[in-house]
Amino acid sequence: MISKYLVPIEQVDEVRDAHLAYLEGLEAQNLVVTAGRQDPPNGGVVLLNVDDEARARELIGQDPYVLRGVAEYSATGWLPTRGALKDFPKP
């Protein structure tokens, strides 16, 4: 999932702790592979370990960034075939 911030970064940062806690919960369930802000910080990337886009949208729809209206996400499917994640366990 690729996010785009909809408000100034200062407003995004007001929700950041809740967003990070949400991602930590997903990570504990092995649903987040990695995540981070874009550079420059105009959005972020969350690499989810899910079977399909519907599940990804369901999960990201509960992200505090979405619930508070500070970011929107678009989905991009990806199957790693090389590098460090090529053998990452599938859901």
Side-chain angles (χ1 to χ4, degrees):
M1 301 298 290
I2 301 172
S3 69
K4 175 185 171 187
Y5 297 150
L6 303 173
V7 298
I9 193 72
E10 295 80 16
Q11 289 176 268
V12 173
D13 285 344
E14 291 173 7
V15 186
R16 188 168 170 80
D17 287 344
H19 163 73
L20 293 175
Y22 179 69
L23 292 183
E24 186 175 323
L26 294 180
E27 191 173 357
Q29 299 173 63
N30 295 316
L31 295 170
V32 169
V33 177
T34 191
R37 264 192 178 158
Q38 296 175 30
D39 185 15
N42 53 16
V45 176
V46 179
L47 184 57
L48 295 170
N49 189 24
V50 296
D51 288 326
D52 56 41
E53 183 178 331
R55 179 69 172 137
R57 289 191 180 280
E58 175 187 344
L59 293 172
I60 219 66
Q62 298 304 307
D63 183 330
Y65 278 179
V66 173
L67 296 175
R68 294 274 302 274
V70 301
E72 63 185 8
Y73 285 86
S74 61
T76 301
W78 178 64
L79 297 171
T81 56
R82 300 193 50 85
L85 295 177
K86 72 179 175 124
D87 295 318
F88 194 85
K90 306 296 184 263

